[in-house]
Amino acid sequence: MNAPQGEPPPAPMRRIKLSDQIAEDLCRRIARERLAPGDRLPNERALMQHYGCAKGTIREALKSLEVQGLVTMQSGPNGGPEVRPISVEAAAQQLRRFLHFQELDFAQVYALRRSLEVALGASVVGRLGAADFQRLEDNIAACEAANAEGRRGTGRIVEVDFHDILCDASDNPLLAFMCRFLNSLLRDLVEFRSESLTEHEAFGAHNLASHRALVSAFRAEDADGVRREMHEHMCCAEHFMQRLDAKFRKDLLSTRVPGARAAE
Amino acid sequence: MNAPQGEPPPAPMRRIKLSDQIAEDLCRRIARERLAPGDRLPNERALMQHYGCAKGTIREALKSLEVQGLVTMQSGPNGGPEVRPISVEAAAQQLRRFLHFQELDFAQVYALRRSLEVALGASVVGRLGAADFQRLEDNIAACEAANAEGRRGTGRIVEVDFHDILCDASDNPLLAFMCRFLNSLLRDLVEFRSESLTEHEAFGAHNLASHRALVSAFRAEDADGVRREMHEHMCCAEHFMQRLDAKFRKDLLSTRVPGARAAE
DNA sequence: CTAGATTTGTTCGTATGTATC
DNA sequence: TGATACATACGAACAAATCTA
């Protein structure tokens, strides 16, 4: 069962590349042997012997695992393919790449956030410990500071962190992943809209009020209250974002951007 | 700007591997030159000359793009790396791989589906054409046939297709992707639970009724009706799935599975 | 801090399989 | 049926990174 057998599938299409077979096998081995982050796979030479193939083939297989975020390669003694801690970021980055081809806007992101953040909020009711509440409070304080000092762009980004903290507390990895992913999309989208204006102040103030109300509801373990508050929070946030976006697009048309890569 | 420059990063981290630099560059080129699915990148020899490096390096770069679902390799004359149609499947498969490590169950999937399918249903109201309705009706007919003939497992799978059709009609690629992804997860999960019993009949009957009611609401362009019906549909489906799952787990404990790979 | 050992990263040359003409 | 063009795979080398003595 070790070496991949040269089993030619009778009809179905092209032969499966050796490197892909090996990548599959290694992937399964990582899962089967419960390899923890930091563990090492055998080095290239050992894998060559094990699978009875050449170096280039092994390297292609390892490259595949590397792109999938399962391992990183390390040089030097005791080097080799090191198993990685199931990177959320790798999967998210892949998804972003894919979605970047089809352009998306705030409305589409919030159509999801409206639903998912409500579900997320409800799912963490009763699961927040003292440490979690501390992080939430700290985040609120950071937002206050950012608003007071007029750092509007950073304020928007820190506010998103509030929702990442909730993801950490969720026991539903699917829900947590998707919310985190939406948050990262939002950070990307907001990065280039952080130019303007007085709207930011009203936005910041509203966010702070919502977050405070949410923390209160969490403390009271009032699931319905969380749902209601989160829903309103999302609707208002969308509204603000839309206005920011409209302003941004108007500015973009009137003033020629130097780099002029915006059109791409 | 063609060949990658041997720019040694002064302090920061490890040198970026040549193959990764090339992969990045090729990725950008695909985006920049608006390469359509079916277009060919230069073949290996041409890329070797262009980047001034060896075959192995090029192959690793192309492997990276292949794993990311951006290209497929083809042999023979006029072969080479062919640009792929922004594979939804590639991104979904990646995500599945990632999420497979942290085991998930029906409850977690449905916690999302309860929210997202409702949003999806609402978003396609008024966007369905005659062809779409035909597909939905055909799907319902296929479900009926599967139920009548007692093909319970396939019935469950065909039913999920109903929701994929709705995804096709959505104008929100994010929402569509995530719903499609949940559907694929469901297909995976249901595949190994398709053993039993009379519950399937009630389940199938309920699904058919729900789908019919949904189509009616879509025809009437009754957004609220769609929302209500979809919500109930999801709640009932979850309930059925949970019972199927419980039964499955019980069977698993009582009867030793021959292959015995279920524990893995 | 240098020197050597170990392991990945990269190159070249060659052979084989596969699809098109 | 070759003949051609291309990806796939092998094997041996050297370069660069990194740990250890």
Side-chain angles (χ1 to χ4, degrees):
Chain A
M1 277 290 277
N2 278 341
Q5 68 287 24
E7 174 190 308
M13 296 268 181
R14 279 198 292 276
R15 187 193 64 187
I16 302 153
K17 282 191 285 194
L18 225 190
S19 57
D20 287 340
Q21 295 179 39
I22 294 175
E24 257 294 311
D25 193 60
L26 285 175
C27 192
R28 268 201 270 268
R29 259 175 62 169
I30 292 177
R32 184 185 332 128
E33 299 179 16
R34 299 269 191 281
L35 261 55
D39 284 349
R40 295 281 161 87
L41 260 50
N43 64 31
E44 288 182 358
R45 191 163 44 84
L47 289 173
M48 283 170 58
Q49 290 178 335
H50 180 62
Y51 290 105
C53 66
K55 184 169 182 167
T57 310
I58 292 295
R59 286 188 61 77
E60 282 183 31
L62 290 175
K63 186 80 197 172
S64 173
L65 300 191
E66 194 185 14
V67 173
Q68 291 177 50
L70 286 170
V71 301
T72 57
M73 306 302 281
Q74 286 194 311
S75 295
N78 276 19
E82 178 179 334
V83 176
R84 277 232 274 169
I86 8 174
S87 56
V88 183
E89 253 318 303
Q93 194 174 348
Q94 279 287 108
L95 246 191
R96 260 200 302 277
R97 272 253 168 83
F98 162 68
L99 288 165
H100 241 292
F101 282 85
Q102 30 208 111
E103 49 192 294
L104 35 80
D105 55 26
F106 284 114
Q108 294 168 340
V109 174
Y110 272 97
L112 282 156
R113 241 163 95 80
R114 259 200 311 266
S115 303
L116 291 186
E117 287 287 338
V118 171
L120 177 69
S123 83
V124 301
V125 168
R127 294 182 49 85
L128 293 169
D132 298 315
F133 279 116
Q134 188 58 51
R135 289 177 66 196
L136 292 173
E137 298 284 6
D138 290 348
N139 175 271
I140 288 177
C143 285
E144 268 180 325
N147 284 348
E149 296 177 28
R151 304 197 313 267
R152 299 156 309 189
T154 62
R156 289 299 81 72
I157 289 182
V158 176
E159 279 158 4
V160 178
D161 292 342
F162 182 91
H163 297 268
D164 269 348
I165 298 173
L166 297 183
C167 290
D168 291 335
S170 173
D171 61 339
N172 186 339
L174 245 184
L175 180 57
F177 173 83
M178 290 197 176
C179 285
R180 246 191 283 262
F181 177 68
L182 292 179
N183 293 344
S184 78
L185 277 184
L186 222 48
R187 270 186 275 257
D188 281 2
L189 284 174
V190 92
E191 187 166 1
F192 302 105
R193 267 96 170 161
S194 57
E195 312 300 330
S196 39
L197 64 154
T198 57
E199 310 235 7
H200 272 290
E201 290 186 25
F203 193 5
H206 165 266
N207 275 336
L208 271 177
S210 289
H211 287 182
R212 286 211 185 86
L214 278 169
V215 169
S216 295
F218 281 129
R219 285 222 146 92
E221 304 198 354
D222 172 12
D224 281 335
V226 167
R227 263 189 276 263
R228 202 169 44 242
E229 194 60 48
M230 186 67 92
H231 181 73
E232 199 203 349
H233 178 32
M234 286 299 119
C235 290
C236 287
E238 176 177 11
H239 180 244
F240 276 113
M241 283 293 194
Q242 297 277 13
R243 290 181 61 179
L244 237 58
D245 194 40
K247 197 100 174 182
F248 170 74
R249 288 179 196 277
K250 213 181 66 181
D251 292 351
L252 196 69
L253 290 178
S254 59
T255 73
R256 285 284 155 88
V257 179
R261 299 236 329 233
E264 276 188 26
Chain B
M1 277 293 276
N2 278 343
Q5 66 288 22
E7 176 189 305
M13 302 252 183
R14 280 198 292 276
R15 189 193 64 185
I16 302 154
K17 282 191 285 193
L18 224 191
S19 56
D20 287 341
Q21 294 179 38
I22 294 174
E24 257 296 309
D25 192 59
L26 285 175
C27 192
R28 268 201 270 268
R29 257 174 65 170
I30 292 177
R32 185 188 328 130
E33 298 179 15
R34 299 267 190 285
L35 263 64
D39 285 349
R40 296 280 161 87
L41 260 49
N43 65 32
E44 287 184 358
R45 193 162 42 85
L47 290 173
M48 283 170 58
Q49 292 177 333
H50 180 61
Y51 289 106
C53 67
K55 210 161 4 195
T57 309
I58 293 295
R59 285 186 62 78
E60 283 182 30
L62 290 175
K63 187 79 197 173
S64 174
L65 299 191
E66 195 185 13
V67 173
Q68 291 176 50
L70 286 169
V71 301
T72 56
M73 307 301 278
Q74 287 194 311
S75 293
N78 275 19
E82 177 180 335
V83 176
R84 278 233 274 171
I86 9 170
S87 56
V88 184
E89 252 320 302
Q93 195 175 348
Q94 279 287 107
L95 248 191
R96 260 200 303 278
R97 273 256 167 79
F98 162 69
L99 288 165
H100 240 291
F101 282 84
Q102 30 207 111
E103 48 190 294
L104 35 80
D105 54 27
F106 284 115
Q108 294 168 341
V109 174
Y110 271 97
L112 282 157
R113 242 163 95 80
R114 260 200 310 266
S115 302
L116 290 185
E117 286 288 337
V118 171
L120 177 69
S123 83
V124 301
V125 168
R127 293 182 50 84
L128 293 169
D132 298 315
F133 279 115
Q134 188 57 52
R135 289 178 65 197
L136 291 174
E137 299 284 6
D138 289 348
N139 175 272
I140 288 177
C143 286
E144 267 180 325
N147 283 347
E149 297 177 27
R151 304 197 312 266
R152 298 154 311 184
T154 63
R156 290 298 81 72
I157 288 182
V158 175
E159 279 158 5
V160 178
D161 292 342
F162 182 91
H163 298 268
D164 269 348
I165 297 173
L166 297 182
C167 290
D168 291 335
S170 173
D171 61 339
N172 186 339
L174 245 184
L175 181 57
F177 173 82
M178 291 198 174
C179 285
R180 248 190 282 261
F181 177 67
L182 292 179
N183 293 345
S184 78
L185 277 185
L186 223 48
R187 271 185 275 255
D188 280 2
L189 283 175
V190 92
E191 188 167 359
F192 301 105
R193 268 94 170 161
S194 56
E195 311 302 329
S196 36
L197 64 154
T198 56
E199 311 236 5
H200 271 290
E201 289 188 26
F203 193 4
H206 165 266
N207 274 336
L208 270 177
S210 288
H211 287 182
R212 286 211 185 86
L214 279 169
V215 169
S216 295
F218 281 129
R219 285 221 146 91
E221 303 199 355
D222 171 12
D224 280 336
V226 167
R227 262 189 276 263
R228 202 167 45 241
E229 194 61 47
M230 186 68 91
H231 181 73
E232 200 204 347
H233 178 33
M234 286 298 119
C235 289
C236 287
E238 176 178 11
H239 180 245
F240 276 112
M241 283 292 193
Q242 296 278 12
R243 291 181 60 180
L244 239 58
D245 195 41
K247 198 101 173 180
F248 170 74
R249 288 180 197 277
K250 213 180 67 180
D251 292 350
L252 197 69
L253 289 179
S254 60
T255 73
R256 284 286 155 88
V257 179
R261 297 227 342 223
E264 277 185 26

